[in-house]
Amino acid sequence: MTIQWFPGHMAKAKREVTEKLKLIDIVFELVDARIPISSRNPLIDEIVANKPRIILLNKADMADPDVTKQWIDFFAAQQIDAIAIDSQSGTGVKQMVAVAKEKLRPKFEKMIAKGIKRPRAMRALIVGIPNVGKSTLINRLAGKHIAKTGDTPGVTKAQQWIKVGKELELLDTPGILWPKFEDEEVGYKLATTGAIKDTILNLQDVAVYALRFLSTHYPDRLKERYALADIPEDIVQLFDDIGKKRGCLAAGGVVDYDKVAELVLRDIRTEKLGRLSFDRL
Ligand code: G4P
């Protein structure tokens, strides 16, 4: 994230998204498939209010597929449309357009019934927290590279519609919303997945969180990656074991905990421990 979110920024971001909502038929709410709840904006329901909405679990290529399936079922049970996508490769993107069309069918049928022979294309807005993949998805849908405007609310430029086939038009600037800061665990999950900058939270604290999480949910992958015979209960011991195995040492041969933290987080973010999901049902 490139900016600090102060109450003033949040109010402004909310205002800007609310303005954009007036122009559109449907909202694509982008979340990170690895943390589909922690990467949601806390006020999203209030902000989007009555507009039809589809939740897109982006970066599904990095998330644990079994857990992603559970989340899709979880949303479906609440009559919420949710689709797993990968904006980089384009997986799931066709499905998202098809689901949007289906969702808006009644509205467009009404327009036809009123005598509008050729209803216009559906108009959509992508919203989400920074780094969730909004620009990547817009570029994927546009089929070309559109410059990123930056994560700064208030940076305005003339808005344009991007045509996606005949049936969909997309606002070329996404709605940028802030994540949930108040909850400590949410903060660690956002940091672990790289959604927020490493300077915001203490790196060793984030790595402690991540290693504890892996010990509980993915112990075999942790053992395999760092050639551990078993996982010590004591977290300092675990840092020591990984540090010694991977040569994260400071002068005098003592384990450098910052280096261990950096290594583990880099490994997680580059999928060296496989596909991981941190929000669990
Ligand atoms: P934003 O507009 O919401 O702020 O996010 P942006 O599209 O800039 O994406 C943030 C990072 O997430 C980018 O990586 C992007 O490539 C990556 N990303 C987006 N969607 C997906 C996806 O579906 N799967 C995977 N694996 N990655 C995705 P980056 O490291 O910041 O930049 P770069 O590597 O693309 O240069």
Side-chain angles (χ1 to χ4, degrees):
M1 228 168 347
T2 54
I3 64 159
Q4 301 287 331
W5 292 95
F6 298 114
H9 282 126
M10 295 187 191
K12 197 166 181 184
K14 185 175 167 187
R15 243 184 352 257
E16 286 182 3
V17 171
T18 306
E19 273 305 303
K20 288 176 192 214
L21 287 174
K22 291 182 189 156
L23 307 171
I24 56 112
D25 303 303
I26 191 159
V27 172
F28 291 120
E29 181 196 349
L30 217 54
V31 298
D32 187 318
R34 297 167 293 175
I35 45 170
I37 301 299
S38 301
S39 58
R40 292 189 90 184
N41 172 269
L43 299 182
I44 188 73
D45 290 338
E46 184 191 310
I47 294 171
V48 172
N50 297 323
K51 287 278 175 190
R53 183 177 7 155
I54 298 174
I55 297 180
L56 303 174
L57 283 77
N58 192 40
K59 308 194 189 184
D61 55 306
M62 301 180 84
D64 187 329
D66 295 337
V67 180
T68 299
K69 175 147 192 332
Q70 289 170 17
W71 280 116
I72 302 278
D73 293 345
F74 166 85
F75 287 120
Q78 300 175 54
Q79 272 79 49
I80 297 171
D81 289 298
I83 302 167
I85 69 165
D86 164 3
S87 299
Q88 263 181 352
S89 75
T91 305
V93 168
K94 266 201 187 131
Q95 192 195 351
M96 96 184 222
V97 178
V99 172
K101 195 178 158 189
E102 200 47 46
K103 220 172 159 60
L104 291 177
R105 189 188 292 279
K107 177 173 179 171
F108 281 81
E109 277 177 356
K110 238 184 236 168
M111 286 164 83
I112 293 167
K114 277 187 190 160
I116 302 167
K117 284 216 176 65
R118 289 177 55 204
R120 57 177 175 72
M122 330 178 253
R123 292 189 168 160
L125 172 70
I126 289 174
V127 303
I129 66 169
N131 285 321
V132 75
K134 298 179 296 299
S135 312
T136 310
L137 179 59
I138 291 173
N139 284 325
R140 159 72 40 197
L141 288 165
K144 59 182 183 224
H145 189 75
I146 288 166
K148 194 169 167 169
T149 25
D151 293 336
T152 316
V155 175
T156 48
K157 60 165 192 159
Q159 287 182 343
Q160 289 178 8
W161 295 99
I162 296 166
K163 284 196 192 317
V164 184
K166 279 194 186 134
E167 290 167 324
L168 179 68
E169 287 177 3
L170 191 69
L171 259 192
D172 69 342
T173 49
I176 300 165
L177 292 169
W178 62 95
K180 204 152 111 190
F181 295 111
E182 303 79 27
D183 183 307
E184 193 179 49
E185 192 175 351
V186 169
Y188 287 138
K189 289 179 182 183
L190 289 166
T192 301
T193 53
I196 58 174
K197 274 196 177 164
D198 282 342
T199 46
I200 293 179
L201 294 175
N202 178 292
L203 206 63
Q204 285 187 25
D205 288 347
V206 178
V208 166
Y209 166 79
L211 283 170
R212 287 213 168 107
F213 183 89
L214 293 171
S215 306
T216 306
H217 295 281
Y218 299 98
D220 292 340
R221 297 202 211 166
L222 190 59
K223 281 195 234 168
E224 191 187 326
R225 175 72 192 164
Y226 302 112
L228 305 168
D230 46 30
I231 302 170
E233 288 222 348
D234 178 10
I235 194 76
V236 178
Q237 188 62 51
L238 182 55
F239 266 69
D240 278 332
D241 289 354
I242 295 174
K244 279 177 198 150
K245 282 264 162 56
R246 303 303 296 266
C248 301
L249 304 175
V254 293
V255 170
D256 182 331
Y257 296 123
D258 278 335
K259 275 190 188 158
V260 176
E262 272 170 36
L263 172 92
V264 168
L265 293 173
R266 191 170 56 240
D267 282 354
I268 289 171
R269 293 170 193 164
T270 53
E271 293 179 81
K272 297 290 187 314
L273 287 122
R275 297 168 69 174
L276 304 169
S277 290
F278 295 90
D279 275 346
R280 320 282 294 209
L281 279 140

